[in-house]
Amino acid sequence: MPDAPELPPNEWWRTAVIYQIYPRSFADSDGDGVGDLRGATGRLEHVRDLGAAAVWLSPIYRSPMADFGYDIADHSDVDPLFGTLDDADALIARAHEIGLKVLLDFVPNHTSDRHPWFAESRSSTDNPKRSWYVWRPGDRPPNGWIAAFGDQVPAWTRDPTTDEWYLHSFLPQQPDLNWDEPAVEAAMHAVLRFWLRRGVDGFRIDVAHAIGKDPDLRDNEPGRSHKEDWPSVHPRLAGIRRVLEEFDGDRVAVGEVYLLDQHRLAPYVTTGDELHLAHNFVFLNLPWSSERFRDVVDEFEELTRDGGWPAWCLNNHDHSRTATRYGWARARVAAMLVLTLRGTPFLFQGEELGLTDVPIGPQRIVDVDGRDPERAPIPWEPPSEAGPGAGFSTGEPWLPVHPDAEHLAVSVQAQDTGSTLTFYRELLRLRAATPALHSGTYRPVTAPPDVYAFMREHEGRRVLVALNFAPFARPLPAEAAGGRLLLLSTHADPGEGELAADEGRIIKLGDG
Ligand code: NOJ
């Protein structure tokens, strides 16, 4: 495969590492057991010290919290659980003061059923806001579309007020907005402007691919969903991009485009006038295999070689954590991968601590979709010093803290040169200091079985990344022979020759 073109890192988000804060679980300032904006503001230095360039905050808006903020009742206010608009302004100001950008979550596909728009829409069939949501009459659901949550739950609920069905791709408390209605698009653009004027640097766009649906509401076909990724989605995302471009300062649109077929994902970032970035979720569903990882990366490199910047991730608030999926050693190898590939890596709070999912007792389960374990609070200090809330909260945390918070706490790991936190800090520091790693070309290299190796190159300086997916030692790729300097290993004590079991290495080649 020929080298991918070298893209100049002229926009901040290309060289950035972006860190997701899940506000409920990051830091609690008022002792109610739920994280909040003041708490998060007080802990931003952790993100800066890690070496990330930006934070993305999961939703902070007024919400009944049926889906923990992804059900918005007022886009222009902060939920009292998280604080106030002033607290949001203070967070943005503090982040900027210490050199961090701030992305908010923008949720265009649906609102809460308690949003005043929906209250109006459901009130009568001739209400002016009726067309803002998707309504159909009939004895049965208009089609066979299934909601994302629950076991084969229809994506339609009949509302008793008018005896018609409304569409909800997620919970019944999350009615889908009708983007075929121009007034909806205009209203959502106004939401973007509200926050852009307050200084946010961009948005992560929730289910971005769902704001274009088959207007005829036809049933899905094998391999083709009619309720997302419809051609109309593209001009709508371009419209969002144009709103961002009304403002100076390289504001960025990052789509949550949950399409595992990379041929369908690529067009969201290759045209140059839609999303700047779209999360690529392929890794989240792959078996631990060097061939499989290499194949998907090579495919996406090929698909984006004429433009398009990848956005890799391994974790977020919707998925089991890598340390649970792969185990601690392999989670480091995986982190080395996403932080050295061409593209913008997204980290989820706590992965830099090697957090595993936290078992939730049956009496404590709160999420509708089994996502509590990856949302457990951040342990900032060991419970022996800070009490059972581990520095996250002085009250009872809304989800249990990690049972090994004593050793996993940030303050403990910061003092330990062999900790996962120290490893992540070194990895991000190396990435920032090495143009080949953040801006160079990508080329896969021939490697022994179980080893995935690739070259990153910038202005003649070459860096080789070699990742051993096997639980036993493997030779280094032949191209490593000219390696002059080991820049970083996932292992505290790497050997000279072979890659150890579950080891990843970054090696500087040549004289560069
Ligand atoms: C994706 C978000 O990441 C998830 O947490 C949420 O439940 C759905 N979108 C619906 O908004």
Side-chain angles (χ1 to χ4, degrees), residues 67 70 110 149 170 174 204 206 256 317-318 371 375:
D67 188 16
Y70 286 96
H110 45 269
F149 299 139
F170 294 88
Q174 293 168 294
R204 174 268 192 186
D206 191 64
E256 185 212 21
H317 63 293
D318 294 328
R371 297 167 295 182
R375 298 176 178 182

Side-chain angles (χ1 to χ4, degrees), residues 119 156 200 206 229 357 472 478 504:
W156 299 91
V200 304
D206 191 64
D229 192 31
D357 298 341
F472 36 78

Side-chain angles (χ1 to χ4, degrees), residues 136-393:
R136 288 294 182 278
D139 294 334
R140 282 183 299 157
N143 63 27
W145 293 356
I146 296 298
F149 299 139
D151 185 15
Q152 295 295 302
V153 174
W156 299 91
T157 289
R158 182 154 33 188
D159 190 49
T161 318
T162 56
D163 234 8
E164 288 195 359
W165 302 87
Y166 68 89
L167 175 66
H168 53 87
S169 296
F170 294 88
L171 292 172
Q173 297 95 316
Q174 293 168 294
D176 280 31
L177 283 163
N178 175 21
W179 275 72
D180 293 338
E181 164 58 66
V184 164
E185 187 161 13
M188 293 308 281
H189 286 182
V191 170
L192 292 169
R193 291 191 187 97
F194 175 86
W195 289 101
L196 289 163
R197 277 196 287 271
R198 298 191 98 87
V200 304
D201 302 284
F203 300 92
R204 174 268 192 186
I205 304 176
D206 191 64
V207 282
H209 57 305
I211 60 171
K213 300 178 174 74
D214 179 357
D216 297 329
L217 304 180
R218 285 168 295 186
D219 273 316
N220 297 336
E221 299 156 59
R224 177 76 176 109
S225 169
H226 283 238
K227 85 176 171 42
E228 62 191 20
D229 192 31
W230 207 251
S232 55
V233 77
H234 294 285
R236 290 171 188 169
L237 292 174
I240 289 173
R241 166 96 168 231
R242 283 196 298 276
V243 173
L244 267 60
E245 287 172 351
E246 292 168 13
F247 294 78
D248 59 11
D250 265 344
R251 317 283 175 121
V252 64
V254 184
E256 185 212 21
V257 180
Y258 212 103
L259 295 171
L260 298 181
D261 177 350
Q262 300 192 110
H263 291 86
R264 309 250 310 265
L265 172 64
Y268 284 77
V269 289
T270 47
T271 58
D273 65 351
E274 294 185 32
L275 297 169
H276 299 89
L277 297 169
H279 284 138
N280 189 329
F281 293 107
V282 281
F283 292 160
L284 291 161
N285 298 287
L286 280 191
W288 187 247
S289 145
S290 58
E291 292 81 7
R292 297 292 297 278
F293 273 71
R294 175 183 161 150
D295 285 351
V296 296
V297 173
D298 288 359
E299 182 181 70
F300 202 61
E301 281 290 320
E302 194 58 44
L303 289 166
T304 54
R305 52 177 297 105
D306 297 326
W309 194 249
W312 302 106
C313 66
L314 288 164
N315 294 283
N316 67 27
H317 63 293
D318 294 328
H319 285 273
S320 172
R321 289 179 175 277
T322 35
T324 293
R325 300 201 312 263
Y326 306 140
W328 270 308
R330 291 177 174 184
R332 282 193 185 198
V333 176
M336 184 174 271
L337 172 67
V338 293
L339 285 155
T340 57
L341 282 175
R342 189 179 75 94
T344 301
F346 280 72
L347 304 181
F348 174 48
Q349 65 177 45
E351 72 168 273
E352 77 282 17
L353 305 176
L355 289 193
T356 47
D357 298 341
V358 174
I360 310 292
Q363 70 287 6
R364 300 261 334 239
I365 289 174
V366 287
D367 178 47
V368 289
D369 200 36
R371 297 167 295 182
D372 294 338
E374 58 265 26
R375 298 176 178 182
I378 296 296
W380 293 98
E381 280 104 31
S384 59
E385 287 170 22
F392 164 71
S393 177

Side-chain angles (χ1 to χ4, degrees), residues 6-11 14 439:
E6 195 163 306
L7 289 178
N10 53 350
E11 292 135 326
R14 288 187 195 272
S439 304

